[in-house]
Structures are given as C-alpha cells and as structure tokens.
Amino acid sequence: MAEFINLYLLPGVAVGCIYALGAVGISLIFAILRFAHFAHGDVMTLGAYLAYSVVIALGWSVYAALPFAILGGALASMGIDHVVYRPFRRSPGIIVVIASFGVMLVVRSAIQLFWGVDILSYETGIRRPIPLFGDIRLAQKHIIIIAASVVIAAALHWFLSRSRMGKAMRAMSDDADLARISGIDTEKVVRWTWLIGGGLAAAAGVFAGINTKLHPSIGWDLLLPLFAAAILGGIGRPYGAIVGGLAIGIAQEVATYPWLSELPLVPPAYKNAVAFFVMVAMLVWRPTGLFKGRVL
Amino acid sequence: MFGLLMYGLTLLTMIGIYGVLTLALNLQWGFAGLFNAGIAGFFAVGAYTTAILTAPESANHLGGFGWPPLAALPVAMLLSGLIAWPIGRICLGLKGDYLAMASIGIAEIIRLVFKNETWLANGTMGISTVPRPFESLGQPWGNAAFLLLVVLILVVLYLAAERAWASPWGRAMRAIRDNELAAAAIGKDVVRFRLEAFVIGSMVMGLGGALSAMYFKFIGASATEPLLTTFLVWVMLIIGGSGNNRGALLGALVVWLIWSGTELFTNRLPAEWITRSSYLRALLIGVLLIVVLQRFARGILPERPPRRID
Amino acid sequence: MVGGYGGMDILNGVDLAVEANEIVVIIGANGAGKSTAMKAIFGLVQLRAGSVRFDGQDVTGRLPNALVGLGMGYVPQERNVFRNLTVLENLEMGAFLKPMTLARMLEQVFTLFPVLKEKARQPAGELSGGQRQMVAVGRALMAEPKLLMLDEPTAGLSPLVMEQIFERIVAVNQAGIGILLVEQNARQALSIAHRGYVLATGRNRLTDTAAALLDNPEIGQSFLGG
Ligand SMILES: Nc1ncnc2c1ncn2[C@@H]1O[C@H](COP(=O)(O)OP(=O)(O)OP(=O)(O)O)[C@@H](O)[C@H]1O
Ligand SMILES: [Mg+2]
C-alpha cells in the first residue's frame, strides 16, 4: 500500500499538477479566442529552457529561476499572439489552429537551434524522499511541484474571481460580443489571456523538466495529455482543466501499477495511451466534459 | 551526368509521393474542411503495413509473408482507412478542433506502438529491407520505372479528385464545409459526407506511406516524424492552394524544391552548422506557413468553382 | 443608413435622430430592420452608405467599446447579460472603462433597481426575465451614457413587470439621458415617448411626435392592436 502511494499515486499527483497548469492555459485560450492552441506544448518547452539558461548563467537553483521562466513564457506568448494570431481574429478558429501549427514548428526549431538537442538536466541533486507520516514518503521535487502548483492555482482563482481583468476574461468567455458592447477592451483581455496562459505553461514546462529531464520535445510529448485534460474538464473551463489535469496525471501513473500480475498493467511507455483513451471516451460519452464546456 | 539523372529521378519521385499526400489532405481540408493533424499516423500505418507484408523474413520483426509489393498497396490503404473510421465517427459531428486534437492523438499512439513493439517492426531501428518494385531493372531503369508507377498513381488520383470536385458529391461537401447548418437543413447527412472524405483521404495517406516505404526501402521512427509528413504536407497544401487539386500538386512541387534546395545550400555550411541546419529549415517552413496564411491564405492556385462537365 | 449582413442589404435607407434628453421610439413589424438599425448605429453591422454622428462627431465604423467611451450605451435584444457572472460582476463589467466611478454608479443603479442589490451575488443566468432586463439596463447605465439604446427591453415580460420597466426608463430619462427605444408594445412605448419612427422593410415609413402617432389611424391598425 505504501509502495503504491509513494511510487504511483503521489508522483501521479505531481504529474497531474503539471498537466493542470498546462491545460488551464489551453482552456483559457479556448474560452477567449475559441481555438485549440497546438503550440502550447512548445511554450512549455520554451519556459523550461529559459529556466535552464538562468540556472546556468547565474548559478541559481531552478526554483529561483522559475519566476523568470514564467515571465519569459508570458511575454513570449503575448508576442507570438501579436505577430502571428492577431491578424486572424475574424477568421474561423480552425485557420488559427493551422497558424499555431506553424508556431509550433518555429518555436521548437528555434529551441533546437539555440539550446541544441542534447538531454539536459537542472542538477537539483539527488535528495532522499521526505517521510510524511508512517511509510508515506514524498520526493522533495514532488513536494515543491505540488506546493507551487497549489499556490499558482490559488493566485489564478483570485485573479479570475476578484480582479477586474479576470472578471472581464470570464465575461468575454461568456459572450465576446456582449463584452465588446459593454465597453470591455477585448484586445486587452486577449493580451492578459496570453500572459497568463503562457506564464502557466512555462511553469508547467519547468516542473516537467524538474520531474524528468530537459529535451526539445518535452512539451510536444505532453500535448496529448494536456488536450485530454482540457476536454475532460470541459474545454473553455479553466477550473475543469485543473480537475482534468489531476485526473489524467493520476490515471497515467496509477495505470502502470502491477494491478493484475507482476507486470505493470499498462507499460510505462504507453502512459500517453491512457490519456488518449480518456480523451476518446469523453468525446464519445460527453464531449462537453465533466463540467460542461462550450462548443459542439 | 548519371548522378544528375539519378538526382532528378529522386526529386521527381519525392514530389510525386508528396503529391499523393497533398491530394489526400486536399480531399479532407480543401473539400470538406476537416483538420487532420495526424497525417504522420496514417502515413505510418501504410508504410509499416507494406514493409511487414513484403520484406523478407527476419528475426527482428514480424514478416516473411513475401507479398508482391503492389499487392500490399490495397492492404495498406485498407488498414489506414480502418483506423480513420472510428476516429471520424467519434469526432466529425463535433467542432473541428476536436478532430484536430484526436487525430494528433491517434498519430502519437501509432508512433508509440511502432516504437515500443520491437517484435512488430524492429522498434526505432525500423525495417530496412523493404523491396521496391522494378528494382531488378537496375539503375537508372528501375528508378525510372518506379517513378512511372508513382506518376501513374498520381494521375489516376488527380483525375478522380477532379471528377469528385465537380460531382454532386463534391458540391455537397463544399456546401457542408461552408455552411454546415444550411447544408443539414436541406437534408444532407453532414457526418456521413465528412466521414467519407476523412476515411478516403486517410486511405490515400496510407498509400503515400506505402510508396514512401518502397522508395526508401526503409521505414523507421525517423521516417514517421510529424515534421516530414504532417507539417510539410500542410505547408504544401496551404501554399499551393487548398480546394484546388492542381494547387495541391503545385504546392508539393514548389515546397519540395525549396526543401531539397535549401538542403543543397546548407550542406555547404561549416560542419558544426550542418546538424543545426535542419532545424533552421524547419523554422523557415514554419515561418513560411504563417506568412502564407496571413498574406496569401488562398495559395498560389486559389480555389475556383468547378467547370460544368455535363 | 444603408447596410446589412454579408452581401444583402437589410437597411435600405433609415434615418434616425435623438436629441439630448429625448425618448424616441422605433416601431415596425417583425423583420422590419429595427434591431439591425440599432446594431448599425453601434458599429456591429457594416454600413454601405450613410453615417452615424454622435455629439457632433462622426463615429461611423467606430468599434463598440470606443462608442461606450464616448457616452453611448446599448442593450441588445437577445443575450444581453453575462449568464455565468453574478449580477454585481455584470454591473462591474459595464463600468470597465471607468473603474473610478464604480461605487457611485453602483449605488445609482441599485437605487433605480433595488432587486438587483438583493440578487447581487447570484449568477445572472438564474434570474427571471424581468430581472435580467434590469441587469442589462443597469450594466449599460454603469458607463454613464448620454444616450441609451434599448432593443425590446420588455419582450416576453408580464404586463406588471413591463409597466415597471417603462417607469424606470422614464426615470433614467429624467436624469438627463437620451433614450432610443425599440418596442413591440407600441402603445405603452409611445405613451412615454416624445417622438416615434415607424420602420418598414428597412426604410423610414413615418416620423412624428409620439402623440400624433398614437392618434394616427393607420398606425393604430397595424401596431396598436386596433
Ligand atoms: N445576423 C443576421 N444575418 C443575416 N440576416 C439577419 C441577421 N439578423 C437579422 N437578419 C435579417 O435581417 C432582417 C431584419 O431583422 P431585424 O432583427 O433587424 O428585425 P427586427 O425589426 O428587429 O424584428 P423583430 O421585431 O423580430 O426583432 C430579417 O429579415 C432578418 O432575417
Ligand atoms: Mg429585433
């Protein structure tokens, strides 16, 4: 039992936090701009590499580099929107999806050009897991990932429910035309959406790099579970995406537990297949997701 | 002189194979407005099917069926279609973004399977003993004959696509693409029409994969990278002109010439730059896609209404 | 104004004017283009010819949020509240451009519609039709408009609630705000209005004082229920 919790469930929660941070951005962007942002995984990768550069250049811990990565991811996303997506505001959403395909290619190859393709690591050192109570232990990196995600999620909740811009974001997601008629500066809302979505993605990327290793397709590899999480929670619903991310992360890890025999139920290499299975099941059973997203 | 001839044959064959893929994507996107982000997956199914059916027996992977290459083509198409069908059934009644997400997912799963199931296709190493039709004729005749085969297939596909474009089926497809509600209101079965376009298009993508495996005599993880299939084919179609079969073919020609032309150029760079140059090319392709979408969204040969053929 | 959706013209020449402090009513059959005319004024429908002037300024083709900044408020016929936002948040969104005046304007709107204060923390989507119209009007008032455009604010409401809404509209007008009102309930609307326009198939049919229109037998036949 302790083994199950220590090696499967708690790491699953940590992975779930990473997915949640990424999927919230995808859901927010969908809520405001009505398109599935395919380049989101690559924004995550960018954030992870920005943190790496800060770690190398200043000799800081990766945790201290996190705010810089978040800022970098936020500004980069806003810049990409300004240059690439803005001319498509009146185009059908699917055209913007194709454009985000292009962005995906550009961001990833820029990362490969600039940082190379070798597998890197933040060198956080090997630390012994910390006993919580009884036999239950939690790796330090997982504690930090989970705690930081909770803080970020709380800040996001405050932003969406209390701040003027957060409310305007929810208003625009509710009805963009009415938001315009009400005098809301929708372009400003869009800029904030990218700042927040990009910042969260960068944080998720850094955490993914801490959790495993750093490589140029770290974000691309997470794209499928992120979409699955967003659909599970109801696309366009940021809170749903948090639940969806946690559920997918835990399901992926727990599915590799040897439930039936000595062998893992699902081979670890097929973790993403679990996400795909959940995504397809949702599309069949309830495309609007657990929390009734928009679309259809 | 001989080298130049072989280079030309390679170039034309590659353009032909990409032409097959862009025609397939045009059927899905240009005709029906379906966003398929998983071209690599259907390509891989076609390619691996052909490799397994035709490659000689080996301890490293499933095989030894000894099928003649051309007999493998229909099976490759059939399997690609069989995978496309359930995905289409599930997603085609929903907003387009869902198909995009699900198709990128299926491509990812297919990639995982071929990478991890080493008994099936030798994992990342792949299968490098795929026979090519007309090989026995030697160089350059065998290559020329294969090119002829590709061109023949391409011509048949093009004529079929042109007929389809002008037919009532194509007209219904465009009506659904442009205004789903209105088309449904006049009694068109929207999901069925879309499913037909999606499945047939995916089958043709499988055919493209099969031809590619034969031509390279190899299929492996590197050959099913989304960059060289999904992305490049999308760029070709958008630049050539979606909704126009000739545009699709022209896009394959132009983009492949740029792609392989820049390769010639980057190969002259200093050694440490050569490895990086492939990323630079990918970056350029991405920029090209964005710029074309923003400035010339209709492509070189824009869509036009069909000529009446009755 | 001449314009419409896509290629087709819905408005074939509509002329409207509202003086400061005036209540002006637009009536017309279903599909006459009343809503389209409102949208055209508010920059939501492309004009092919003609212009929109406000406060001596040419505002043709300006974006809606710019018009709000200039002092125009608009309550559309449908989907006029943010359903997932609370009543309070709906009102706050109306004051998005002027956060400084938020507290003062909230008080004014709550005095005008006391129910909204009670329901302040409830999602607007859960309110009754009449309360929703009040939220919508309140939201538009939050930006301190000089001209308020209302598209059928009483559609589907019970006579009692309708009465209440009309009475509130008069109160708003007495506070010095010009009102352009589209109404199906022509008799009540004309009884509170100064002037009225009758539209038919995207054109002005009649323009007169409200009292004259009420007395016009032709109008009585078609719009006032005999
Ligand atoms: N978004 C739209 N796209 C195309 N045509 C539209 C659109 N909205 C309205 N129309 C058409 O424009 C015409 C005028 O509509 P409008 O809504 O302005 O009428 P109205 O006078 O407000 O009617 P009602 O009393 O029913 O509200 C109608 O023929 C309608 O079908
Ligand atoms: Mg109307």
Side-chain angles (χ1 to χ4, degrees):
Chain A
M1 190 59 197
E3 186 208 344
F4 171 73
I5 295 178
N6 291 340
L7 299 181
Y8 296 89
L9 188 59
L10 292 176
V13 174
V15 171
C17 287
I18 297 171
Y19 292 171
L21 292 177
V24 164
I26 288 182
S27 238
L28 270 181
I29 293 165
F30 195 93
I32 301 296
L33 291 133
R34 300 280 188 275
F35 78 99
H37 188 222
F38 271 67
H40 213 68
D42 298 282
V43 176
M44 289 171 66
T45 313
L46 180 65
Y49 275 91
L50 287 175
Y52 179 80
S53 280
V54 173
V55 168
I56 295 298
L58 304 177
W60 290 0
S61 132
V62 62
Y63 302 113
L66 181 63
F68 290 89
I70 291 178
L71 190 67
L75 292 177
S77 295
M78 199 176 74
I80 289 170
D81 174 65
H82 192 79
V83 175
V84 181
Y85 301 132
R86 204 179 42 147
F88 297 110
R89 291 281 191 264
R90 283 164 188 281
S91 314
I94 205 76
I95 301 287
V96 200
V97 175
I98 305 181
S100 80
F101 245 58
V103 170
M104 191 153 122
L105 214 52
V106 170
V107 173
R108 184 159 13 144
S109 28
I111 289 170
Q112 288 166 329
L113 270 176
F114 195 76
W115 280 285
V117 291
D118 299 331
I119 293 180
L120 306 170
S121 121
Y122 291 127
E123 294 300 346
T124 47
I126 307 290
R127 294 210 177 78
R128 265 188 302 126
I130 295 162
L132 290 182
F133 45 85
D135 286 338
I136 308 297
R137 291 167 209 285
L138 194 50
Q140 197 189 14
K141 63 180 182 185
H142 289 158
I143 294 184
I144 295 181
I145 290 173
I146 294 170
S149 302
V150 169
V151 171
I152 293 174
L156 179 74
H157 174 69
W158 180 88
F159 176 80
L160 287 178
S161 60
R162 292 291 142 80
S163 76
R164 190 169 76 105
M165 190 47 72
K167 290 173 196 170
M169 229 179 225
R170 282 166 48 223
M172 192 172 163
S173 139
D174 218 5
D175 190 331
D177 287 331
L178 184 58
R180 236 162 262 131
I181 292 168
S182 300
I184 293 174
D185 182 349
T186 48
E187 271 304 306
K188 200 165 166 187
V189 174
V190 167
R191 280 199 294 279
W192 274 91
T193 306
W194 285 107
L195 282 176
I196 289 172
L200 293 176
V206 174
F207 292 154
I210 293 172
N211 203 27
T212 56
K213 294 264 190 269
L214 206 52
H215 53 91
S217 59
I218 189 168
W220 160 266
D221 291 343
L222 296 185
L223 196 59
L224 175 54
L226 292 190
F227 282 150
I231 288 178
L232 179 62
I235 192 152
R237 300 254 153 203
Y239 297 110
I242 293 179
V243 177
L246 283 171
I248 299 276
I250 293 171
Q252 281 193 354
E253 296 299 318
V254 165
T256 60
Y257 186 73
W259 290 104
L260 301 178
S261 61
E262 303 289 284
L263 293 173
L265 179 66
V266 173
Y270 285 109
K271 280 180 189 171
N272 269 0
V274 175
F276 183 67
F277 179 77
V278 174
M279 178 196 228
V280 169
M282 281 313 285
L283 290 182
V284 172
W285 172 58
R286 200 171 151 151
T288 50
L290 293 176
F291 299 93
K292 257 205 174 296
R294 32 185 71 265
V295 212
L296 260 163
Chain B
M1 196 53 213
F2 181 72
L4 206 62
L5 175 67
M6 290 305 288
Y7 182 75
L9 286 176
T10 304
L11 207 62
L12 290 175
T13 310
M14 288 310 295
I15 291 168
I17 293 173
Y18 274 107
V20 170
L21 294 171
T22 38
L23 278 183
L25 184 63
N26 190 38
L27 182 60
Q28 295 180 337
W29 171 250
F31 281 49
L34 303 176
F35 188 89
N36 180 354
I39 300 172
F42 303 106
F43 178 92
V45 169
Y48 278 107
T49 306
T50 308
I52 289 169
L53 287 177
T54 62
E57 185 154 12
S58 154
N60 292 332
H61 59 83
L62 186 67
F65 299 101
W67 283 43
L70 294 185
L73 292 182
V75 184
M77 293 176 71
L78 192 70
L79 276 181
S80 302
L82 276 179
I83 288 178
W85 191 79
I87 289 295
R89 265 321 290 264
I90 293 169
C91 299
L92 290 177
L94 306 172
K95 193 167 176 269
D97 299 64
Y98 285 110
L99 178 66
M101 291 188 272
S103 59
I104 211 166
I106 190 82
E108 181 69 6
I109 301 302
I110 290 169
R111 189 177 68 87
L112 280 183
V113 169
F114 285 118
K115 193 169 130 194
N116 291 299
E117 303 301 315
T118 41
W119 59 270
L120 179 66
N122 199 19
T124 37
M125 304 290 288
I127 301 173
S128 50
T129 51
V130 187
R132 182 199 298 159
F134 315 119
E135 256 178 309
S136 54
L137 297 178
Q139 290 181 344
W141 296 114
N143 304 58
F146 186 75
L147 171 62
L148 211 62
L149 172 70
V150 171
V151 169
L152 196 71
I153 291 176
L154 197 60
V155 168
V156 170
L157 285 174
Y158 170 75
L159 292 178
E162 280 292 279
R163 277 208 83 104
W165 181 255
S167 73
W169 184 82
R171 213 160 36 231
M173 206 65 91
R174 289 193 298 280
I176 291 172
R177 178 195 69 185
D178 294 336
N179 191 341
E180 181 183 344
L181 291 179
I186 56 167
K188 300 288 179 207
D189 184 344
V190 171
V191 174
R192 210 198 77 213
F193 271 100
R194 283 185 176 159
L195 193 59
E196 284 165 3
F198 187 64
V199 170
I200 297 173
S202 300
M203 288 172 76
V204 177
M205 287 169 186
L207 175 65
L211 291 174
S212 160
M214 286 174 181
Y215 183 65
F216 288 108
K217 304 178 63 49
F218 167 79
I219 181 67
S222 60
T224 55
E225 271 282 310
L227 172 62
L228 280 172
T229 44
T230 308
F231 286 108
L232 212 51
V233 175
W234 265 106
V235 174
M236 287 168 172
L237 181 62
I238 298 293
I239 290 182
S242 61
N244 185 324
N245 292 311
R246 280 187 219 184
L249 295 180
L250 186 66
L253 176 86
V254 169
V255 174
W256 187 256
L257 287 180
I258 297 177
W259 183 256
S260 47
T262 49
E263 185 171 43
L264 285 182
F265 167 74
T266 52
N267 279 348
R268 285 161 209 270
L269 288 170
E272 79 258 31
W273 274 96
I274 288 189
T275 43
R276 295 199 164 189
S277 68
S278 64
Y279 310 125
L280 192 62
R281 289 160 70 210
L283 191 141
L284 288 178
I285 287 290
V287 171
L288 198 62
L289 177 59
I290 293 166
V291 169
V292 169
L293 268 181
Q294 285 183 347
R295 301 281 160 79
F296 321 98
R298 291 158 56 77
I300 307 174
L301 293 179
E303 175 178 339
R304 55 201 160 83
R307 281 165 302 178
R308 300 207 67 93
I309 49 165
D310 37 38
Chain C
M1 299 186 294
V2 178
Y5 310 93
M8 213 168 44
D9 282 344
I10 302 292
L11 304 179
N12 307 305
V14 172
D15 254 306
L16 301 169
V18 184
E19 298 299 323
N21 263 322
E22 208 180 20
I23 300 185
V24 173
V25 174
I26 304 176
I27 54 180
N30 291 103
K34 305 183 295 291
S35 299
T36 308
M38 298 282 254
K39 289 184 204 165
I41 296 172
F42 222 72
L44 298 166
V45 167
Q46 195 82 40
L47 282 185
R48 268 202 318 108
S51 66
V52 182
R53 301 178 64 79
F54 179 73
D55 239 5
Q57 227 186 110
D58 188 1
V59 296
T60 319
R62 295 264 186 108
L63 292 175
N65 55 6
L67 298 180
V68 174
L70 290 175
M72 292 169 73
Y74 170 46
V75 177
Q77 183 172 359
E78 291 154 333
R79 297 190 307 151
N80 52 19
V81 297
F82 300 110
R83 306 174 58 93
N84 294 313
L85 267 57
T86 65
V87 169
L88 185 61
E89 287 168 341
N90 263 280
L91 297 179
E92 278 179 63
M93 288 305 103
F96 185 87
L97 286 172
K98 299 178 177 171
M100 306 305 284
T101 63
L102 181 64
R104 179 166 56 81
M105 289 312 296
L106 260 184
E107 202 165 314
Q108 283 186 25
V109 169
F110 283 149
T111 336
L112 197 63
F113 302 114
V115 242
L116 297 188
K117 191 161 191 176
E118 290 163 35
K119 307 265 177 188
R121 311 234 161 251
Q122 222 168 308
E126 291 175 5
L127 301 185
S128 71
Q131 291 163 348
R132 235 184 284 176
Q133 289 297 347
M134 295 180 197
V135 173
V137 174
R139 192 223 77 227
L141 287 173
M142 290 296 291
E144 295 192 279
K146 294 178 216 158
L147 170 68
L148 184 59
M149 298 164 45
L150 305 170
D151 196 347
E152 301 201 21
T154 65
L157 300 184
S158 72
L160 204 69
V161 182
M162 201 192 305
E163 205 57 49
Q164 237 179 328
I165 299 268
F166 278 128
E167 177 204 318
R168 300 289 88 183
I169 292 172
V170 173
V172 169
N173 176 247
Q174 274 159 4
I177 297 173
I179 297 207
L180 180 60
L181 176 67
V182 169
E183 259 307 331
Q184 292 286 344
N185 302 299
R187 190 182 296 279
Q188 286 98 319
L190 285 172
S191 66
I192 64 165
H194 303 111
R195 288 190 305 119
Y197 290 93
V198 181
L199 297 193
T201 59
R203 282 178 209 286
N204 287 48
R205 259 266 311 281
L206 276 170
T207 307
D208 215 329
T209 63
L213 284 177
L214 271 172
D215 291 338
N216 187 322
E218 193 188 345
I219 301 297
Q221 282 255 302
S222 8
F223 300 111
L224 305 177

